[in-house]
């Protein structure tokens, strides 16, 4: 299951942009909403039913967002994000009202433009991923804190039967937080059912509390270090709960990576209220290749 770890350089491309523009930000720090544990008791069947019914479809989303990195270096920037379901993700970074950087991702392309330093990255995702395809909606769900089945559009009543839920006891909890937070459930794809999806069975699982609030996504890909996504308290949107933020933790090229995204979903716009936009490369921009960026990333202190 190399796909999810091959997607890691995409995050590095975005982090390159935020690193380059890290001086273009205010000193104001976003407040991270603390998670409040649920005291509700549940069963595996009722938890899966809640997961299948609490999320509603959406087509477009625009929201302010803050991207920060804690390791191997520290910086943060504020941006505006625009998403079209299963089609595109755009991050626009502004300073003093002027756009200084933009990152645009589609199922086929990664385009990152640093307008301040007149540089850009443009890569074919299909070629970069060795011709492997994936459901782009999975990436959007990962960023927004919504559970998903690999290579499928969304979890609903038609496919929730492909998931299995098991209660994590104290001796199986991986962190002290999971031991004290109350009931924690591991939700994973049923191996027999999930193997029929493109012939691929990713090794991943979601941690939920007993009120069906998403806590973590853990991806274990062969001998690679695990990718751990920890989610902040859910925010109730017109399309169901979405995480108010997430933190990524993993190790890559002998470096610890810890980065976070904080959403201001209280200011989000939805569907018909969101205008999409195109992204172009300014004349005279110098191209930076992702392979060179990965080499530079390994030297970060």
């Amino acid at each position: 299951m190399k796909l999810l770890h091959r997607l890691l350089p995409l995050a590095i491309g975005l982090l390159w942009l935020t690193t380059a523009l890290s001086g273009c930000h205010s000193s104001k720090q976003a407040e991270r909403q603390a998670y409040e544990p649920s005291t509700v008791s549940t069963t595996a069947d009722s938890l899966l039913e809640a997961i299948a019914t609490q999320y509603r479809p959406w087509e477009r989303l625009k929201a302010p967002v803050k991207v920060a990195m804690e390791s191997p270096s520290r910086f943060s920037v504020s941006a505006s994000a625009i998403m079209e379901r299963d089609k595109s993700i755009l991050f626009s970074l502004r300073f003093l009202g002027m756009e200084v950087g933009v990152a645009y991702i589609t199922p086929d392309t990664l385009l990152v433009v640093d307008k301040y330093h007149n540089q850009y990255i443009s890569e074919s995702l299909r070629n970069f991923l060795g011709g492997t395809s994936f459901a782009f909606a999975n990436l959007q769900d990962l960023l927004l804190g919504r559970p998903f089945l690999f290579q499928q559009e969304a979890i609903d009543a038609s496919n929730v039967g492909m998931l299995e839920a098991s209660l994590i006891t104290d001796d199986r909890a991986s962190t002290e937080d999971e031991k004290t937070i109350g009931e924690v459930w591991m939700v994973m794809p049923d191996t027999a059912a999930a193997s029929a999806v493109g012939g691929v069975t990713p090794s991943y699982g979601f941690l939920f509390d007993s009120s069906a609030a998403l806590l973590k996504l853990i991806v274990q890909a062969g001998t690679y270090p695990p990718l751990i996504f920890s989610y902040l308290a859910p925010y109730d949107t017109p399309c169901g709960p979405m995480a108010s933020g997430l933190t990524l933790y993993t190790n890559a090229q002998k470096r610890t990576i810890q980065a976070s995204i904080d959403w201001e979903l209280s200011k989000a716009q939805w569907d018909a209220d969101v205008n999409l936009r195109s992204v172009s490369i300014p004349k005279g921009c110098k191209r930076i290749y992702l392979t060179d960026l990965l080499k530079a990333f390994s030297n970060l202190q």
Side-chain angles (χ1 to χ4, degrees), residues 264-280:
E264 286 190 69
L265 294 173
S266 62
K267 299 180 180 180
Q269 296 174 283
W270 300 92
D271 297 340
D273 293 332
V274 178
N275 293 319
L276 302 176
R277 53 165 289 192
S278 60
V279 178
S280 60

Side-chain angles (χ1 to χ4, degrees), residues 45-56:
D45 289 342
S46 62
L47 177 69
L48 293 177
E49 181 181 1
I51 292 172
T53 58
Q54 70 179 348
Y55 301 104
R56 295 179 288 279

Side-chain angles (χ1 to χ4, degrees), residues 34-262:
Y35 173 79
E36 296 182 2
S38 168
T39 57
V40 178
S41 182
T42 190
T43 65
D45 289 342
S46 62
L47 177 69
L48 293 177
E49 181 181 1
I51 292 172
T53 58
Q54 70 179 348
Y55 301 104
R56 295 179 288 279
W58 60 276
E59 295 299 325
R60 296 179 181 182
L61 164 64
K62 180 179 181 180
V65 63
K66 177 184 175 183
V67 181
M69 192 171 190
E70 299 295 330
S71 177
S73 60
R74 294 175 62 90
F75 58 83
S76 65
V77 296
S78 296
S80 175
I82 299 176
M83 296 190 190
E84 185 176 15
R85 183 64 173 170
D86 205 26
K87 293 182 179 180
S88 65
I89 301 173
L90 183 147
F91 291 96
S92 172
L93 284 67
R94 292 184 175 272
F95 181 65
L96 298 179
M98 180 177 66
E99 185 174 72
V100 293
V102 60
Y104 185 64
I105 311 169
T106 72
D108 297 317
T109 304
L110 168 68
L111 175 62
V112 183
V113 181
D114 176 358
K115 296 183 178 181
Y116 188 78
H117 297 96
N118 214 30
Q119 300 175 332
Y120 75 97
I121 294 171
S122 180
E123 298 285 348
S124 165
L125 289 193
R126 190 172 300 277
N127 292 340
F128 185 77
L129 298 175
T132 304
S133 62
F134 68 101
F136 194 72
N138 289 171
L139 177 58
Q140 293 173 324
D141 288 335
L142 184 154
L143 293 174
L144 294 170
R146 291 164 66 106
F148 57 85
L149 281 165
F150 181 68
Q151 295 288 46
Q152 295 207 26
E153 165 65 18
I155 291 177
D156 56 28
S158 68
N159 57 24
V160 71
M162 297 174 68
L163 296 173
E164 294 181 337
S166 58
L167 185 63
I168 294 181
T169 56
D170 281 356
D171 61 338
R172 290 178 58 200
S174 60
T175 68
E176 289 300 319
D177 287 343
E178 290 165 22
K179 295 179 181 180
T180 60
I181 207 170
E183 286 189 356
V184 176
W185 292 80
M186 173 67 79
V187 176
M188 301 181 65
D190 174 83
T191 302
S195 62
V197 182
V200 178
T201 309
S203 177
Y204 66 96
F206 300 92
L207 295 186
F208 286 87
D209 75 0
S210 55
S211 67
L214 179 60
L215 306 176
K216 289 185 180 182
L217 163 62
I218 302 174
V219 181
Q220 182 64 61
T223 58
Y224 289 99
L227 292 172
I228 301 175
F229 300 87
S230 297
Y231 293 97
L232 296 182
Y235 185 87
D236 190 17
T237 77
C239 304
M242 294 187 179
S244 55
L246 69 93
T247 297
L248 162 66
Y249 178 88
T250 191
N251 291 293
Q253 299 189 12
K254 300 181 180 180
R255 301 281 181 177
T256 296
I257 300 175
Q258 184 173 342
S260 65
I261 293 178
D262 290 278

